[in-house]
Amino acid sequence: MKKSALDRLLEDRRERRAVAMVTALDTGDQRMVYLDDVGAEGDLAAPLAEAFARDKSQTVEIGGAEHFIHVFNPPLKMIIVGAVHVAQALIPIAEATGYAVTIIDPRGAFATEQRFPSVRLYDDWPDEILPDLDVDHRSAILALTHDPKIDDPALTFALKSSCFYIGALGSRKTHAGRRERLLANGFSDADLDRIHGPIGLDIGARGVAEIAVSIMAEVTRSLRQGAEAGA
Amino acid sequence: MSVLDTSVLAQASAWAEEGRQVALATVIQTWGSAPQPVGSQLAIDADGNFVGSVSGGCVEGAVVTEAVDVIETGKPATLQFGVSNETAWEVGLACGGTIRIFVEKLN
């Protein structure tokens, strides 16, 4: 690989551009293909499109020559609304599984750098800051405050976005009330089925660390098996 | 692709900027159970220092040895490891899978 190509790749990662490095394995020749340019790739177009869509690098044979398609999709993003205790337990697991984490909480006493040293932190209202955060199909949005004043605007934004996962903390009763409020605001039942609530897989979690594990497992299932998995 | 993989590429770039000779090893294909997915990478310098992982530790030693050769010759190489391949390589994968790895020089 050329050093210049490597640096361009790292720059693309920072800028959240979807790009693939295609290597002809017999010669070692390489070139970069951006997601938007896949259509012009002839015989490679279909395997490239598949590799981007499934986030799956693969080796394919085209015209008797092997090509390795190395996909670099934008990094995964987790936006957590609520600078709460569960969030503190969740952040290290999310970071280890490849997510850049952002925390939003308008209550300044919660959203402090001391409590959340490694992440991007905003003490804004969710509906004010979320439009600036480039939410896309590689993003998960989690509402963890228990407070409808803060959670509902976040969920309203999430439901209108292409994010692959939406979760909300709270009991079944809390979630039923939440659904009623959002229905009254014009969302359909099918829309609201995108929200995982109560958040997390039912693994009998006790304490914040185990709850964090159950949440991370559910987010991972949506990422790898699609939003409909387990629904 | 995980954050960890990006840090491998960032390390490779940083090493090159220090003037070190660097090779990249990438898992390009797997069959059966394999400890690291396709796309996982290892960065190696000419002294055999490495960061990242292509197998969870099973074959890194052999890959590093090959990478040092690739740095010298400048020619890319494709390696294959599996439990049934003992005659070619002394190391293998305990999990029973097979992996192919592409090794290239950063230049």
Side-chain angles (χ1 to χ4, degrees), chain A residues 62-100:
Chain A
I62 304 285
E66 280 191 307
H67 293 78
F68 176 56
I69 299 172
H70 199 174
V71 172
F72 296 87
N73 265 319
L76 292 158
K77 191 185 284 189
M78 180 180 285
I79 298 171
I80 301 174
V81 176
V84 297
H85 201 186
V86 172
Q88 285 176 304
L90 183 55
I91 287 166
I93 310 176
E95 288 178 340
T97 27
Y99 292 78

Side-chain angles (χ1 to χ4, degrees), chain A residues 156-176:
Chain A
T156 299
F157 178 90
L159 287 167
K160 291 175 183 168
S161 80
S162 63
C163 67
F164 73 88
Y165 176 89
I166 307 171
L169 195 69
S171 66
R172 283 176 204 291
K173 198 175 153 198
T174 305
H175 189 57

Side-chain angles (χ1 to χ4, degrees), chain A residues 52-187:
Chain A
F52 276 115
R54 295 175 56 208
D55 195 21
K56 204 170 187 287
S57 298
Q58 55 184 336
T59 297
V60 295
E61 204 180 306
I62 304 285
E66 280 191 307
H67 293 78
F68 176 56
I69 299 172
H70 199 174
V71 172
F72 296 87
N73 265 319
L76 292 158
K77 191 185 284 189
M78 180 180 285
I79 298 171
I80 301 174
V81 176
V84 297
H85 201 186
V86 172
Q88 285 176 304
L90 183 55
I91 287 166
I93 310 176
E95 288 178 340
T97 27
Y99 292 78
V101 180
T102 298
I103 301 272
I104 301 169
D105 198 321
R107 303 167 296 182
F110 285 77
T112 64
E113 270 182 39
Q114 200 176 0
R115 299 182 72 220
F116 296 93
S118 68
V119 304
R120 284 209 292 175
L121 208 55
Y122 295 98
D123 60 358
D124 301 86
W125 287 88
D127 50 332
E128 286 168 2
I129 189 69
L130 276 166
D132 297 336
L133 298 184
D134 298 326
V135 170
D136 59 19
H137 69 292
R138 304 271 294 162
S139 306
I141 298 181
L142 287 66
L144 304 183
T145 70
H146 280 116
D147 183 342
K149 279 200 310 297
I150 303 171
D151 281 355
D152 283 9
L155 294 169
T156 299
F157 178 90
L159 287 167
K160 291 175 183 168
S161 80
S162 63
C163 67
F164 73 88
Y165 176 89
I166 307 171
L169 195 69
S171 66
R172 283 176 204 291
K173 198 175 153 198
T174 305
H175 189 57
R178 180 184 292 134
R179 282 188 74 113
E180 275 178 31
R181 289 192 306 276
L182 291 167
L183 273 173
N185 279 337
F187 289 105

Side-chain angles (χ1 to χ4, degrees), chain B:
Chain B
M1 156 138 194
S2 77
V3 161
L4 299 173
D5 291 326
T6 307
S7 72
V8 171
L9 292 176
Q11 183 67 67
S13 177
W15 277 349
E17 273 157 30
E18 287 171 18
R20 296 205 226 178
Q21 302 276 310
V22 183
L24 280 172
T26 308
V27 178
I28 56 170
Q29 225 165 356
T30 66
W31 296 265
S33 69
Q36 294 283 0
V38 172
S40 303
Q41 292 188 305
L42 194 66
I44 307 102
D45 77 1
D47 297 327
N49 297 303
F50 66 94
V51 293
S53 173
V54 287
S55 75
C58 311
V59 301
E60 267 74 2
V63 173
V64 168
T65 305
E66 185 72 24
V68 172
D69 284 350
V70 167
I71 289 172
E72 278 177 22
T73 66
K75 281 193 179 152
T78 303
L79 317 176
Q80 184 164 326
F81 300 95
V83 281
S84 58
N85 207 11
E86 292 160 304
T87 48
W89 296 91
E90 288 184 0
V91 291
L93 297 170
C95 54
T98 300
I99 58 176
R100 265 176 94 200
I101 295 172
F102 180 72
V103 186
E104 60 187 316
K105 186 179 181 180
L106 187 64
N107 51 29

